[in-house]
Amino acid sequence: MLKKIFKKSEPTHEEFRLVYDMFYSRVYRDVYFITKDSHLAQDALQETFVKAYKHMHRLEDRERMGAWLSTIATRTAIDVLRKRKGAREVLTEDITIQERNMKEKGLDTSHIVENNLVKEELLESLKEIKAEYREIILLRYIHDLSIKEIADSLHINESTVKTRLHRARNKIKEKVQRDPKRQWIGGE
């Protein structure tokens, strides 16, 4: 569909408005996941679409626009946090869909609470790892992108993606195992 929209290299304002409308929710979710603040998320969202508009001519495969925008959004949100004086890089959980699924499956409240506690602890662990690792985790597990799609989006080798993903998982595992408060995660 996007190939039909952009028949020339530079989109018109109307065409870009259509892209904005199509991807607003996805990009907002990406930046909010990183910033955990609606005002910072709005700032990052605006910067993301400004960057996308300026660099739309660089996008070779218009069908991959969603992944491309998610990559820009993730990096922009991290930059917004870095610019904010004294700000800590934080992530938030995206639990509404999972809670709904759990309720539909008939899981009781104790399972939902326990699951949310595990997610909170894992997200705390994510805050403690490098931004490049967090970015890979976000693209892989939140956006369900393949290794190849992540590599294409970030303009890095697939082996680099696999390495970063492996290191990110190991860092999180180490943090969980070293912290006595978190040792219950994955246990009985």
Side-chain angles (χ1 to χ4, degrees):
M1 178 176 148
L2 292 173
K3 286 182 181 179
K4 293 176 187 174
I5 294 172
F6 302 115
K7 293 182 179 155
K8 46 194 176 310
S9 62
E10 184 125 351
T12 65
H13 291 291
E14 293 80 24
E15 291 169 336
F16 192 76
R17 178 63 190 199
L18 179 60
V19 169
Y20 178 85
D21 291 341
M22 287 173 62
F23 293 102
Y24 175 89
S25 296
R26 178 179 177 169
V27 171
Y28 182 80
R29 186 181 64 232
D30 292 346
V31 296
Y32 187 80
F33 184 84
I34 300 285
T35 62
K36 197 177 181 179
D37 178 279
S38 61
H39 299 297
L40 290 176
Q42 286 294 334
D43 291 345
L45 177 82
Q46 182 177 358
E47 283 186 44
T48 297
F49 281 108
V50 168
K51 289 177 183 178
Y53 186 78
K54 287 180 180 177
H55 301 288
M56 187 68 70
H57 64 280
R58 293 184 184 171
L59 181 61
E60 294 174 13
D61 184 3
R62 304 286 185 191
E63 292 296 320
R64 309 251 324 112
M65 187 168 297
W68 182 67
L69 286 170
S70 288
T71 302
I72 294 171
T74 301
R75 291 179 175 183
T76 301
I78 291 169
D79 290 344
V80 165
L81 284 176
R82 285 183 184 145
K83 288 177 191 174
R84 186 173 167 222
K85 188 176 182 177
R88 291 175 44 200
E89 295 181 28
V90 293
L91 296 171
T92 187
E93 57 193 313
D94 188 15
I95 63 170
T96 54
I97 294 171
Q98 190 168 10
E99 280 182 347
R100 191 177 321 122
N101 290 340
M102 290 174 75
K103 287 178 184 175
E104 287 172 3
K105 291 177 184 175
L107 295 176
D108 65 11
T109 306
S110 65
H111 285 97
I112 294 171
V113 170
E114 185 176 334
N115 189 41
N116 288 341
L117 289 172
V118 169
K119 282 193 280 184
E120 285 178 25
E121 290 297 329
L122 291 174
L123 287 168
E124 281 297 312
S125 297
L126 279 176
K127 287 194 291 189
E128 300 166 12
I129 64 175
K130 289 182 180 181
E132 67 183 14
Y133 294 161
R134 239 187 346 267
E135 180 179 43
I136 295 288
I137 295 285
L138 172 73
L139 293 173
R140 180 70 173 155
Y141 296 109
I142 303 301
H143 294 295
D144 294 322
L145 296 183
S146 69
I147 301 293
K148 182 173 179 12
E149 290 172 327
I150 295 170
D152 291 343
S153 297
L154 299 178
H155 306 293
I156 57 178
N157 295 327
E158 287 182 42
S159 58
T160 304
V161 172
K162 290 176 185 176
T163 300
R164 287 182 186 174
L165 194 55
H166 177 74
R167 288 179 181 167
R169 284 191 218 122
N170 284 342
K171 289 287 184 190
I172 293 168
K173 184 178 177 182
E174 285 174 21
K175 293 195 181 300
V176 168
Q177 288 176 341
R178 273 191 280 151
D179 188 348
K181 295 183 298 186
R182 295 180 181 157
Q183 287 182 352
W184 61 274
I185 296 175
E188 295 180 25

